[in-house]
Amino acid sequence: MDVPTRSTQDTQAYDVPILPPRYVTHFLHFMEQYGVRPPALLDGTGVDASQLETSGESLTMNELLVLLQHASDLTEDERLPFEFGKQLDIDAHGLVGAAVLWQNDYFRLVEMIIEYERVSLPIYDLRLSLKDETVLIQLHDLWDLRDLRSFMIRIYMGSIYELSRHICKDMLLELDTSTKLLADDWQHVAPEAEIRFNAEAARATLHPAQQSGSDTGQELSSFLARHRSRQDLKGAENNSSLTERVRRQILDDPGLNCTLERVAENLQMTPRSLRRHLQAENYSFRDLRNEIRCHYAERYLADTRMPLSTIAQKLGFSDQASFTRAYRSWTGHTPGQTRR
């Protein structure tokens, strides 16, 4: 592990704007889901959250380090940076248009995004190599992140995981840092990968699945349908309300993991407390989940050729018949009628 140290000569580089504001805004919204408000994260940076999206001014490395230090101090779950990394998908990178153009070649799309990430998120150098059918992505340090190095590596690994999981049959994520959590704890956030800590280097080893053009096209059409659903169901301005935080949790994963217990755990609450607070805002978890599942279902039916059994699985139903009964109760129509 060759980590650079900050010298007197390169100190000025830490005051050069490098990080696009859209990533900072995305991170602030993400942290609000866990009860951490933007002022607490931006304290000491000199950055005003209300001006981030309008000014277009990038953050310096020193400002980013202050922000990440606050985030690390204010949260206890060491999986949180990985979870944020998973939010940095095609949509977050602003590359939905590229997804449409490259929907028949998902590997080429991931390769392009890795190159894009090297430029837009110049905190680590990502080096991609291909040997036989194995893809290797290595992370090389560019900055002295000190105690925040582990936090940042987990963000990158979360993003690599989310970008690659659609095309991989096997994925190994190696982090050259330690963890206090058990393997099962990490399996919850990355069920389609093996994660190892205390490795020799920070790297991802991917084994792409053999998929037909129609399979990869279906994955991308599925992604685009989810993207449109997120846009349709975009929450109210009051991002800190519990209802909106729960709504975003469901939007991120409306499938089998979308349970009251899991969402409560993510929000660091008990299921009983979450249920009570939602009732105080005149909502129920079941109604919120059904609203979002219904909207996702309608998008999948209208925008993709995905089989009904696959839609049922993505939305957390045990079988197609259960999904059909639920969909009819929501809309008064069968999925087949809607698709026709």
Side-chain angles (χ1 to χ4, degrees):
M1 179 175 65
D2 186 16
V3 180
T5 56
R6 191 186 306 201
S7 65
T8 305
Q9 290 81 5
D10 65 13
T11 296
Q12 291 182 340
Y14 287 76
D15 289 319
V16 175
I18 61 166
L19 186 67
R22 71 172 175 274
Y23 293 111
V24 181
T25 301
H26 204 68
F27 184 69
L28 295 179
H29 290 329
F30 172 80
M31 292 301 294
E32 276 195 283
Q33 298 178 44
Y34 298 90
V36 181
R37 303 295 301 276
L41 293 170
L42 295 173
D43 183 40
T45 65
V47 177
D48 186 342
S50 63
Q51 298 177 354
L52 268 175
E53 296 186 33
T54 56
S55 68
E57 187 172 342
S58 298
L59 258 67
T60 68
M61 178 56 67
N62 277 331
E63 291 168 341
L64 176 63
L65 291 176
V66 171
L67 185 153
L68 293 182
Q69 188 63 63
H70 289 321
S72 179
D73 292 342
L74 293 170
T75 55
E76 297 180 356
D77 191 343
E78 57 179 277
R79 296 170 297 182
L80 222 58
F82 191 95
E83 288 281 18
F84 172 66
K86 286 164 57 179
Q87 307 294 310
L88 300 181
D89 56 10
I90 297 169
D91 184 13
H93 287 301
L95 295 175
V96 174
V100 176
L101 292 174
W102 289 98
Q103 61 181 298
N104 291 321
D105 192 346
Y106 195 84
F107 174 73
R108 177 68 187 93
L109 176 63
V110 171
E111 183 183 32
M112 180 192 68
I113 291 173
I114 293 298
E115 292 300 314
Y116 178 87
E117 210 166 36
R118 291 180 64 193
V119 177
S120 296
L121 290 172
I123 301 167
Y124 278 94
D125 183 22
L126 301 179
R127 300 178 188 175
L128 186 146
S129 59
L130 179 64
K131 183 178 181 181
D132 298 327
E133 295 184 354
T134 300
V135 180
L136 182 65
I137 304 172
Q138 293 183 295
L139 278 67
H140 292 266
D141 295 87
L142 297 175
W143 304 87
D144 179 9
L145 303 180
R146 300 178 183 175
D147 294 339
L148 293 169
R149 183 173 179 275
S150 177
F151 195 99
M152 185 56 68
I153 286 177
R154 291 173 188 187
I155 290 178
Y156 270 78
M157 286 298 183
S159 182
I160 291 171
Y161 170 81
E162 185 60 31
L163 292 169
S164 306
R165 66 185 182 87
H166 300 286
I167 58 163
C168 291
K169 59 182 178 181
D170 294 302
M171 187 187 318
L172 172 62
L173 305 178
E174 296 179 277
L175 293 81
D176 55 2
T177 57
S178 61
T179 180
K180 296 179 181 179
L181 299 178
L182 300 175
D184 287 347
D185 296 324
W186 284 101
Q187 194 68 30
H188 284 311
V189 297
E192 297 170 66
E194 178 185 356
I195 301 182
R196 293 179 188 169
F197 288 88
N198 299 311
E200 293 181 355
R203 61 199 172 200
T205 305
L206 317 175
H207 299 281
Q210 296 297 321
Q211 292 180 309
S212 66
S214 61
D215 289 335
T216 52
Q218 184 181 104
E219 286 290 351
L220 262 295
S221 63
S222 170
F223 161 77
L224 293 171
R226 291 197 307 273
H227 167 71
R228 295 181 184 114
S229 292
R230 288 169 183 261
Q231 294 299 104
D232 294 341
L233 294 169
K234 202 168 185 179
E237 291 300 318
N238 184 14
N239 288 314
S240 61
S241 77
L242 181 65
T243 298
E244 290 309 318
R245 289 163 59 195
V246 171
R247 189 189 299 273
R248 283 196 294 271
Q249 289 278 330
I250 300 172
L251 281 169
D252 287 343
D253 183 5
L256 278 175
N257 288 328
C258 186
T259 64
L260 177 70
E261 292 73 19
R262 179 61 59 82
V263 171
E265 179 185 355
N266 290 342
L267 296 177
Q268 299 179 354
M269 302 174 68
T270 65
R272 176 180 293 181
S273 177
L274 176 58
R275 187 183 295 111
R276 187 174 64 252
H277 280 81
L278 285 174
Q279 287 174 348
E281 296 181 13
N282 296 317
Y283 285 97
S284 75
F285 180 81
R286 180 177 179 176
D287 289 344
L288 287 172
R289 184 176 60 182
N290 284 344
E291 174 198 359
I292 291 170
R293 282 179 167 175
C294 179
H295 204 94
Y296 270 52
E298 289 180 329
R299 278 295 185 185
Y300 286 144
L301 292 169
D303 297 353
T304 78
R305 297 180 180 177
M306 197 184 301
L308 297 185
S309 58
T310 304
I311 296 176
Q313 178 191 12
K314 285 183 175 292
L315 296 180
F317 291 93
S318 58
D319 53 46
Q320 181 179 326
S322 299
F323 165 62
T324 298
R325 285 194 298 271
Y327 187 81
R328 179 180 288 169
S329 71
W330 298 334
T331 66
H333 306 287
T334 67
Q337 289 171 327
T338 297
R339 174 159 277 175
R340 286 193 294 273

